Every structure is written in C-alpha cells, then in structure tokens.
Amino acid sequence: MGLSSSLVPVASALLLLCCFTARNAAAAAASGGDGGGLRLNFYSESCPRAEEIVKEQVRRLYEEHGNTAVSWLRALFHDCTVKSCDASLLLETDAATGLVSEQASPRSFGMRNFKYVGAIKSALERECPGTVSCADVLALAARDGAAMLGGPAAIPMRTGRRDATESRYGEVERYVPNHNDTVSAVLSRFAAMGLDAEAVVALLGAHSVGRVHCNNLVARLYPAVDGGMEPAYGAYLRGRCPTADAREDTRDVAYARNDRATPMVLDNMYHKNLLKGRGLLLVDQRLASDPRTAPFVKKMAADNGYFRETFAAALVRMSENGPLTGGQGEVRKDCRFVNAK
C-alpha cells in the first residue's frame, strides 16, 4: 500500500534517521567514541525554537548573501578538524590575554562571513539567553546551509556541544589538511575523526560549491600546466589566475569557481569533474587516481543520491568529533570572546 503525500516527508525523515544512526554508530565504534553525550533535540525544553531559529537565520542570510551557506560548511570543517567541534575557530585575537585566533592561521586563508555567525547567535540570545552554544550554531548552520545549496535536507543532527575557552591556533596547521597534501595524509587526518575513505570522498564533495583563490592554484598552472589537468581546463584557469611576475600580484583576491556548471549547488559535479581532470586543488584530483578513493569517486559521479546519503552521514560524524559536553567549556554569550569571569 502506498504512502499518502502527507506522510512521505515523515517516512523520509525516519528513514534518514535510521540510516544515519546506523552509519554513525559504526563510525563511532571504530573511533572509540559515541558523540560525547550529544543527543537529538537537546534544546527541546531549554530553548524549543532553537533549531527553527537557526534555520530561519540561515535562510535569511542565504537569500541576502548566497555565499554564507558555503562558509558554514567550511567553518564546521575547520572547527571540528582541530581536535574538537567546540567553536574555538570563532574566538578572535585578544591582545590583552594573548589569545591568537585560529582565523589568523595560513590554513584559514579565504575564510569569511564570521560576522554572520554573530547574527544567528544574537537571534538565539534574544529568545534564550545563554543557552545555545556557538559550537551548536556552527553545526546546525552547516546542516541547514547544505540544504539551502540543494544538498541533503532533514539531516538529524545531535546537539549539546559546549564552547571552548581557548584557541588552538598553534595546532591548526598540524590538523587541517593542506591543498597539496597526499591522499595518505588526508585519509590519516580524517581517520582520526572516525571517517573512512568513502566518507572523505563524500565530504570533499563540498568543493563542488564556492571558489578557490589563485594562490592555491598557481603551482598547478605555472610554469606549465599540471599533467593531470585537462589542457582546456588549464588554459581557462590560466586566464583566471595571474602569474607570479604580474605587474600587480592579485593571486590573493583572484579566484576560480570550484564547479563552473553548478557553482552553487552541492551535488556530484565535483566527482564528475575529477574524472575529467578538472579538479581544482591537487588533493582533489589525486582522489581520482588513488586506488583507495578512486572507486568512490566513480560511484559518486554516477549516482548523486549515493553521494548525498554518504555526505549527510559523514557530515554528522564529523560534527561529533570530540565535543565538549556537560560541565566542560562554557556557552559563550558572544561567539567571538570567552565569557567574562
């Protein structure tokens, strides 16, 4: 017997929940963690509209500044990769205390829209002061941002994270992969978060949206185009990115879109492009030739549904990396600064 149209969304959500729960339980077991005490609907009593408010703000900001949705995904990756999903990334440099922001690291080059995290947090503070953590704001904003970009929707995400009281600036370069890293280095870094090769290929699919600054590309373009890059694509990128001897070096501001076909849609065009030699970053293109990752690149290129499902499960798993919970950390009133004692 078929489901009525009114029941289809409910059934879909339940199916997603079962699927993600099974996938993430397996990943947690492999990494020796269980999400650190996070749970679904953590704010159901303390701030019932918390997730709805985040979603409303993400939608509003997307409609005003479309690239914010891309920023949420990158912010969650950078925050969670450095030991813990604890919003340490959001802390600003404070000369008085000697705190140096993770945003100042070369690995954070090109990151932006942090001020809009403050807009989401302010809306939550008006509704439920001192209740919803900045770490949960990052996680929920990434989830809802992915949906706004046409990615998977209705991803069940556990909450209850707490905020760090210190920056991990000195550890960023050790934890966040570089754009020209080997596949082995990238897989090792993600494995520490309980993510396998399949999950890595899915998560890097986020490179199907947004853009890459030319300072991360010129080494593949000059003095000769990288042999692993499609020649016509290399010629196009040379037109976008100036050489080192240009009259005015604009590599820090000039950029190229990750995906020219659907630049603001989170889809499997990333994987299709890799198979054609159109990977922007060296680490991206290497996925298509490494035997540990190439089968997943091909499978995701052929099946967008499979990519979406795998991406959603991997995003949830990443968002649960080493969270602070219970009495650990704090709930910041302003995501930029540690609470005053």
Side-chain angles (χ1 to χ4, degrees):
M1 184 172 70
L3 289 171
S4 71
S5 59
S6 63
L7 291 178
V8 169
V10 176
S12 299
L14 289 173
L15 181 60
L16 283 169
L17 176 58
C18 293
C19 177
F20 296 156
T21 300
R23 277 177 174 264
N24 290 306
S31 63
D34 62 357
L38 304 179
R39 67 175 188 267
L40 294 174
N41 302 312
F42 180 85
Y43 299 106
S44 60
E45 295 184 6
S46 59
C47 190
R49 292 192 65 248
E51 295 195 26
E52 183 180 348
I53 290 171
V54 173
K55 186 172 296 184
E56 290 171 352
Q57 292 297 312
V58 166
R59 181 182 298 110
R60 178 184 67 80
L61 290 165
Y62 174 78
E63 291 171 351
E64 294 177 7
H65 316 280
N67 57 26
T68 55
V70 181
S71 297
W72 307 144
L73 287 170
R74 187 179 178 192
L76 183 66
F77 169 74
H78 276 252
D79 187 54
C80 291
T81 301
V82 187
K83 286 192 172 182
S84 169
C85 300
D86 57 10
S88 60
L89 171 70
L90 301 179
L91 289 170
E92 294 188 353
T93 296
D94 186 342
T97 63
L99 184 149
V100 180
S101 175
E102 293 172 26
Q103 298 170 34
S105 169
R107 286 287 198 277
S108 301
F109 175 78
M111 297 190 74
R112 54 185 177 158
N113 292 323
F114 290 111
K115 63 183 178 181
Y116 297 125
V117 176
I120 299 174
K121 176 65 169 172
S122 293
L124 289 164
E125 287 295 302
R126 289 192 294 270
E127 179 87 5
C128 313
T131 302
V132 182
S133 70
C134 300
D136 276 342
V137 169
L138 279 181
L140 294 171
R143 176 190 71 177
D144 297 337
M148 294 303 299
L149 292 166
I155 302 175
M157 183 166 282
R158 298 193 288 179
T159 44
R161 299 165 188 79
R162 303 266 291 179
D163 299 326
T165 56
E166 59 183 6
S167 167
R168 295 194 175 90
Y169 167 78
E171 299 177 272
V172 173
E173 295 209 25
R174 181 158 65 96
Y175 280 90
V176 177
N178 198 11
H179 61 87
N180 58 2
D181 272 345
T182 64
V183 172
S184 291
V186 173
L187 291 179
S188 175
R189 180 77 289 278
F190 279 91
M193 295 189 284
L195 294 158
D196 59 15
E198 180 187 36
V200 170
V201 174
L203 281 176
L204 289 184
H207 288 174
S208 69
V209 292
R211 59 193 185 181
V212 173
H213 287 85
C214 288
N215 68 342
N216 289 329
L217 299 177
V218 290
R220 299 194 69 202
L221 303 175
Y222 303 101
V225 174
D226 186 324
M229 183 178 289
E230 181 189 63
Y233 190 56
Y236 160 75
L237 291 177
R238 278 189 161 203
R240 295 285 308 172
C241 296
T243 62
D245 58 359
R247 178 183 300 178
E248 181 180 358
D249 189 355
T250 58
R251 287 178 293 168
D252 285 354
V253 293
Y255 65 87
R257 289 286 181 187
N258 284 329
D259 170 14
R260 297 170 66 190
T262 55
M264 290 299 289
V265 179
L266 182 59
D267 58 15
N268 65 341
M269 279 302 299
Y270 166 81
H271 304 93
K272 292 180 179 179
N273 283 331
L274 294 186
L275 296 181
K276 297 177 181 178
R278 297 176 186 170
L280 267 184
L281 299 176
L282 185 56
V283 68
D284 290 328
Q285 194 58 56
R286 284 172 170 165
L287 295 179
S289 57
D290 191 286
R292 293 165 294 182
T293 52
F296 299 117
V297 172
K298 293 177 182 176
K299 187 174 180 181
M300 290 181 198
D303 188 342
N304 193 49
Y306 163 64
F307 159 64
R308 286 163 60 92
E309 177 186 321
T310 310
F311 178 87
L315 183 70
V316 170
R317 177 61 194 141
M318 182 179 72
S319 77
E320 298 182 353
N321 182 45
L324 303 180
T325 58
Q328 299 173 309
E330 64 181 15
V331 174
R332 285 184 225 139
K333 296 177 182 178
D334 184 328
C335 293
R336 301 173 298 170
F337 308 109
V338 174
N339 293 340
K341 300 300 183 182

